């Protein structure tokens, strides 16, 4: 009898355990809820189970539907906290009410505080704020359809440690908005490097407007096939690496050793073609001697090896001090105490590339920095030697995270309808191959996300692509310019959207420019205009055009910061061929003298990197690149 009772009790306990309410990852201690808007709270439970949500001494009840889904909506709340939110037996503490921002896109949202830290060392070291909470959505994909929840994550407070690997734009946005409004800030980041806009669009939208993209994702709904491809690619990569390592003379003969004799190696400047070939795959070695004085011998230091293409393994006196597996991160490696000796020290870098010549990126720091501030610049001259030359790695060209809809399904859809104050969209680099189609997709993204959140006026600030690549004095047909124009036009044609122009904040040699605080200040100004200060003037815009012969006058919506000569203007005639044009600022007008007798088009900053842009508002905001028809 006791055994029967024990079994029945066990079944009851199991049933009770299964009946527990489940909340999405967003609903955790430390969360921030949006002030001044209705607050949806939702989750799962057993079908028919009663769910009670208690907040600020008021209880709101509902019953889970046949699928176990339930939701309640809390009334609008004023900023404040901390409060407690209770859902049946789940207690969520330290809940703040303030503003919640969603930051989404690709790698320039991903760029972390760790990456930009040298730009803002003091500001980051000396700042923490318990009223700013950070929430990172972990990477996930789904080809089948929208998920109910995201991967496990949590809310954390804003300080150097918690923000170190968090989005720099997100972190700075929290600081800017808290400084402006003095209320708690919640920053949700769901971005992923290298991803095209299609990955963030719903399947319904793609099926209506881009059926081929929709079918592409359908093709990869066979999970066994996807796993097989991924497994095959990984095996191929592992095998390629093993063959290279097994045949690399540098690993066998000790190229990294402090006493290795490299006198027979060729000497090259790091900015020359160090391999001497058009293309090189495999491993390639470079070495130089670094002389350290007695005062710094044995001391710990920081080694900066700029940015390298592609992967690197870096050694000092035979000991590995760091490695990086792809091209973009800056190489900042710690040299432990006792490794550097007085006199000559061997610095060795083993490049590994699967396509394209190994090379050093210009305009990056190459030096050793000691704790007392002493800097030891590296030489641009290196001794160089081939390692193991390789054939291309035999892999299927497949990247699951870039498929249409997969990030919308797994990283965006589960966040709705969590109430928001606004959205930052910083993406476009991966769509520069088809810039003209981007405008429609961006417009669909904004309208689709608003529909998902059931917030038709949800504010969007779109960060326009920054300047990048080598500057040119001649007109260019630029995919980057096409995306910038698509961003400008999509924002212009969308209510309650603003453009953060970043055409002067980029770097010629880095697709991930480091001036993220300046970018975020412009984002914050965009939200200020959309939400609180409708009369605020952002970047200068053309509101009228007058053409007389070869003379063009652009009427702006505001005067420019300075009168005088302007650069990066071009005009074209009926043949569509653009030529540089002289331009002068006079208050709120730009006077253009066209090199074309009868201009029909004018454009500004229409280059990958229009390095001489100098048309600024009195508030210091740059005019956006644009192209427009002006002829009859």
């Amino acid at each position: 009898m006791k055994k029967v009772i024990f079994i029945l009790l066990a079944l009851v306990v199991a049933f009770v355990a299964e009946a527990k309410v489940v909340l999405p990852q967003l609903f955790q201690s430390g969360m921030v809820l949006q002030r001044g808007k209705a607050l949806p709270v939702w989750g799962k439970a057993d079908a028919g189970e009663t769910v009670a949500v208690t907040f600020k001494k008021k209880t709101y009840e509902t019953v889970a539907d046949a699928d176990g889904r339930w939701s309640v909506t809390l009334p609008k709340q004023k900023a404040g906290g901390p409060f407690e939110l209770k859902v049946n037996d789940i207690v969520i503490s330290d809940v703040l009410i303030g503003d919640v921002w969603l930051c989404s896109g690709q790698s320039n949202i991903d760029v972390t505080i760790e990456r930009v830290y040298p730009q803002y060392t003091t500001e980051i070291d000396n700042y923490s704020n318990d009223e700013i909470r950070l929430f990172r959505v972990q990477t996930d994909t789904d080809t089948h359809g929208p998920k109910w929840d995201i991967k496990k994550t949590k809310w954390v407070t804003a300080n150097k440690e918690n923000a170190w690997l968090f989005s720099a734009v997100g972190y700075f946005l929290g600081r800017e908005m808290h400084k402006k409004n003095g209320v708690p800030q919640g920053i949700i980041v769901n971005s992923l490097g290298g991803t095209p806009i299609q990955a963030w669009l719903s399947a319904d939208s793609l099926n209506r407007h881009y059926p081929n993209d929709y079918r592409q994702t359908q093709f990869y709904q066979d999970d066994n096939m996807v796993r097989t491809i991924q497994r095959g690619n990984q095996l191929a990569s592992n095998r390629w690496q093993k063959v290279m390592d097994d045949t690399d003379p540098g690993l066998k003969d000790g190229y990294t050793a402090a006493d290795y004799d490299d006198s027979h190696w060729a000497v090259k400047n790091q900015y020359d073609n160090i391999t001497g070939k058009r293309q090189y795959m495999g491993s390639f070695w470079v070495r130089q001697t670094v002389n350290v004085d007695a005062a710094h011998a044995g001391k710990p230091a920081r080694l900066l090896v700029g940015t390298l293409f592609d992967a690197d393994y870096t050694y000092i006196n035979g000991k590995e001090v760091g490695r990086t597996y792809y091209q973009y991160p800056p190489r900042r490696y710690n040299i432990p105490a006792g490794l550097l000796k007085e006199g000559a020290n061997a610095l060795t870098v083993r490049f590994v590339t699967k396509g394209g010549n190994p090379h050093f990126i210009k305009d990056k720091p190459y030096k050793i920095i000691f704790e007392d501030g002493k800097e030891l610049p590296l030489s641009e001259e290196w001794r160089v030697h081939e390692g193991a030359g390789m054939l291309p790695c035999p892999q299927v060209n497949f990247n699951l995270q870039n498929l249409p809809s997969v990030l919308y399904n797994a990283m965006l859809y589960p966040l709705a309808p969590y109430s928001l104050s606004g959205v930052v969209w910083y993406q476009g680099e991966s769509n520069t191959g088809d810039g003209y189609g981007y405008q429609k997709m961006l417009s669909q993204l904004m309208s689709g996300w608003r529909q998902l959140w059931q917030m038709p006026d949800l504010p969007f600030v779109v960060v326009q692509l920054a300047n990048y690549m080598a500057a040119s004095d001649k007109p260019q047909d630029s995919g980057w310019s096409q995306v910038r124009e698509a961003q400008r036009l999509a924002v212009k044609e969308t209510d309650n959207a603003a453009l953060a122009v970043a055409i002067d904040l980029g770097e010629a040699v880095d697709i991930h420019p480091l001036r993220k605080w300046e970018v975020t200040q412009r984002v914050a100004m965009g939200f200020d205009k959309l939400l609180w200060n409708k009369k605020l003037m952002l970047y200068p815009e053309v509101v009228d055009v007058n053409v007389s012969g070869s003379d063009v006058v652009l009427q702006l919506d505001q005067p420019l910061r300075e009168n005088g000569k302007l650069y990066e203007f071009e005009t074209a005639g009926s043949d569509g061929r653009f030529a540089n044009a002289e331009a002068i600022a006079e208050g709120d007008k730009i006077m253009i003298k066209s090199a074309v007798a009868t201009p029909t088009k004018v454009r500004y900053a229409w280059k990958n990197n229009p390095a001489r842009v100098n048309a600024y508002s009195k508030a210091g905001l740059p005019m956006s690149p644009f192209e427009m028809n002006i002829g009859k």
Side-chain angles (χ1 to χ4, degrees):
M1 183 63 180
K2 289 182 178 180
K3 185 176 182 180
V4 172
I5 293 173
F6 176 80
I7 293 173
L8 289 174
L9 286 172
L11 290 173
V12 169
V13 170
F15 176 79
V16 171
E18 290 176 1
K20 279 189 175 181
V21 168
V22 178
L23 293 172
Q25 287 291 310
L26 280 163
F27 292 90
Q28 297 187 52
S29 294
M31 68 191 294
V32 180
L33 294 172
Q34 176 62 43
R35 61 172 170 154
K37 295 182 180 179
L39 299 173
V41 180
W42 70 96
K44 287 183 175 181
D46 280 0
E49 182 179 356
T50 298
V51 178
V53 178
T54 303
F55 186 67
K56 296 173 73 172
K57 298 182 180 180
K58 292 185 179 180
T59 299
Y60 311 83
E61 288 193 352
T62 188
V63 176
D65 65 17
D67 295 322
R69 304 292 182 93
W70 61 266
S71 67
V72 300
T73 301
L74 306 183
K76 297 178 182 179
Q77 304 289 329
K78 293 183 179 180
F83 303 109
E84 180 180 277
L85 176 69
K86 188 174 182 181
V87 183
N88 283 12
D89 60 344
I90 300 174
V91 177
I92 301 173
S93 60
D94 193 23
V95 177
L96 301 181
I97 307 293
D99 292 328
V100 181
W101 311 94
L102 175 63
C103 301
S104 194
Q106 57 178 113
S107 54
N108 270 301
I109 283 284
D110 271 350
V111 167
T112 62
I113 285 296
E114 185 273 337
R115 183 83 69 89
V116 305
Y117 176 69
Q119 298 284 115
Y120 316 104
T121 302
T122 302
E123 295 91 338
I124 294 170
D125 283 343
N126 300 329
Y127 189 85
S128 64
N129 192 329
D130 184 61
E131 287 198 337
I132 301 175
R133 307 291 172 82
L134 313 176
F135 186 88
R136 174 72 213 196
V137 177
Q138 302 303 311
T139 299
D140 197 9
T141 59
D142 199 299
T143 60
H144 298 281
K147 286 189 171 184
W148 180 77
D149 199 8
I150 57 176
K151 286 185 175 180
K152 186 176 181 180
T153 186
K154 62 181 179 179
W155 291 90
V156 296
T157 58
N159 56 45
K160 180 180 177 181
E161 180 182 2
N162 289 336
W164 195 242
L165 297 180
F166 192 78
S167 162
V169 169
Y171 167 83
F172 290 136
L173 181 62
R175 291 182 59 167
E176 289 290 325
M177 303 315 285
H178 188 272
K179 179 181 177 181
K180 175 177 177 56
N181 295 323
V183 302
Q185 302 292 315
I187 306 296
I188 302 170
V189 173
N190 70 331
S191 55
L192 188 56
T195 54
I197 193 171
Q198 291 92 326
W200 298 97
L201 291 170
S202 71
D204 288 343
S205 177
L206 289 167
N207 193 27
R208 288 195 306 271
H209 303 287
Y210 308 98
N212 287 338
D213 286 333
Y214 175 72
R215 283 192 286 270
Q216 182 185 6
T217 301
Q218 281 187 311
F219 180 76
Y220 289 100
Q221 287 178 347
D222 185 327
D223 294 339
N224 287 331
M225 182 189 76
V226 169
R227 283 193 293 268
T228 299
I229 293 173
Q230 291 175 324
R231 177 61 175 161
N233 281 346
Q234 186 61 57
L235 289 171
S237 180
N238 293 345
R239 184 61 184 169
W240 190 91
Q241 182 79 31
K242 186 176 188 308
V243 170
M244 179 183 64
D245 290 346
D246 289 348
T247 59
D248 190 335
L251 297 179
K252 177 183 177 182
D253 297 336
Y255 289 179
T256 67
D259 58 356
Y260 177 79
D261 181 8
D262 58 18
S263 60
H264 61 289
W265 290 17
V267 177
K268 290 285 186 73
N269 183 281
Q270 67 185 35
Y271 299 126
D272 292 340
N273 180 347
I274 59 175
T275 69
K277 299 181 179 181
R278 292 183 61 186
Q279 188 177 50
Y280 186 91
M281 297 182 192
S283 63
F284 193 86
W285 295 83
V286 299
R287 283 171 54 97
Q288 70 171 261
T289 298
V290 180
N291 289 300
V292 176
D293 60 27
H296 293 91
K299 299 294 178 62
R302 186 82 157 159
L303 171 64
L304 306 184
V305 202
T307 306
L308 306 174
F309 183 90
D310 191 17
D312 75 284
Y313 301 77
T314 298
Y315 307 81
I316 290 180
N317 294 332
K319 180 178 177 60
E320 183 179 330
V321 294
R323 64 173 68 177
T324 304
Y325 294 109
Y326 65 110
Q327 70 182 92
Y328 295 116
R331 274 50 171 185
R332 302 172 187 154
Y333 300 142
N334 291 325
I335 303 174
L339 184 56
L340 290 172
K341 59 185 180 180
E342 183 181 357
N345 294 264
L347 169 60
T348 309
V349 178
R350 183 197 189 209
F351 285 90
V352 174
T353 62
K354 289 188 176 181
N357 261 329
H359 60 272
F360 295 81
I361 306 299
K362 291 183 178 181
D363 300 324
K364 295 294 182 180
Y366 295 88
K367 56 189 174 182
I368 294 175
I369 304 175
F370 292 93
E371 291 182 337
D372 63 0
K374 168 75 174 179
E375 295 189 0
L376 188 61
L378 302 183
S379 171
E380 290 186 6
E381 302 296 320
W382 296 76
R383 292 191 176 275
V384 304
H385 199 279
E386 287 191 18
M390 298 287 290
L391 295 173
C393 182
Q395 293 179 305
V396 176
N397 185 15
F398 169 72
N399 198 329
L400 184 61
Q401 69 186 35
N402 292 346
L403 290 176
S405 298
V406 296
L407 302 182
Y408 176 94
N409 291 340
M411 296 176 65
L412 188 281
Y413 182 91
L415 304 180
Y418 198 84
S419 192
L420 303 173
S421 193
V423 177
V424 181
W425 178 251
Y426 194 169
Q427 190 275 339
E429 297 89 343
S430 291
N431 286 91
T432 53
D434 182 25
Y436 286 118
Y438 190 83
Q439 179 184 344
K440 183 177 179 181
M441 288 187 179
L442 180 54
S443 296
Q444 288 170 352
L445 181 139
M446 289 188 283
S447 64
W449 288 20
R450 286 171 171 174
Q451 183 178 3
L452 176 63
W453 257 267
Q454 299 179 23
M455 298 175 66
D457 60 348
L458 178 64
F460 272 80
V461 173
V462 175
V463 181
Q464 194 180 54
L465 294 186
N467 50 309
Y468 174 54
M469 292 182 279
S472 173
D473 293 330
K474 299 179 180 179
Q476 288 181 329
D477 290 323
S478 163
W480 280 66
S481 294
Q482 292 167 14
V483 169
R484 292 187 193 114
E485 180 72 343
Q487 291 169 326
R488 184 184 73 86
L489 293 175
V491 166
K492 191 176 183 65
E493 296 170 4
T494 301
D495 291 337
N496 222 31
L499 187 70
V501 180
I503 194 61
D504 59 336
L505 297 179
E507 298 180 31
V509 297
D510 199 337
I511 200 171
H512 304 122
L514 299 182
R515 296 173 66 188
K516 291 294 186 276
W517 200 336
E518 290 84 345
V519 168
T520 309
Q521 288 172 326
R522 296 176 186 179
V523 169
M525 289 183 69
F527 283 127
D528 190 10
K529 179 177 178 62
L530 296 176
L531 290 167
W532 303 293
N533 188 359
K534 300 295 183 182
K535 294 183 179 180
L536 179 66
M537 302 294 286
L538 298 179
Y539 64 92
E541 294 188 72
V542 178
V543 294
D544 194 20
V545 181
N546 182 269
V547 182
S548 177
S550 63
D551 294 330
V552 180
V553 179
L554 304 180
Q555 177 65 54
L556 305 180
D557 64 347
Q558 58 188 292
L560 295 182
R561 182 172 61 186
E562 295 178 356
N563 292 331
K565 190 171 184 179
L566 299 175
Y567 300 96
E568 305 292 4
F569 280 88
E570 304 165 8
T571 56
S574 57
D575 62 359
R577 297 179 63 182
F578 281 89
N580 293 334
E582 296 181 1
I584 295 176
E586 295 183 3
D588 60 356
K589 294 180 174 61
I590 297 176
M591 325 297 290
I592 300 175
K593 186 67 176 178
S594 173
V596 178
T598 308
T600 61
K601 293 182 178 181
V602 62
R603 67 189 187 187
Y604 171 67
W606 196 269
K607 298 173 181 175
N608 295 324
N609 183 7
R612 298 197 297 169
V613 292
N614 65 331
Y616 285 85
S617 73
K618 288 188 177 297
L621 296 181
M623 186 162 66
S624 168
F626 66 84
E627 179 180 286
M628 61 178 59
N629 296 320
I630 58 174
K632 295 182 180 179

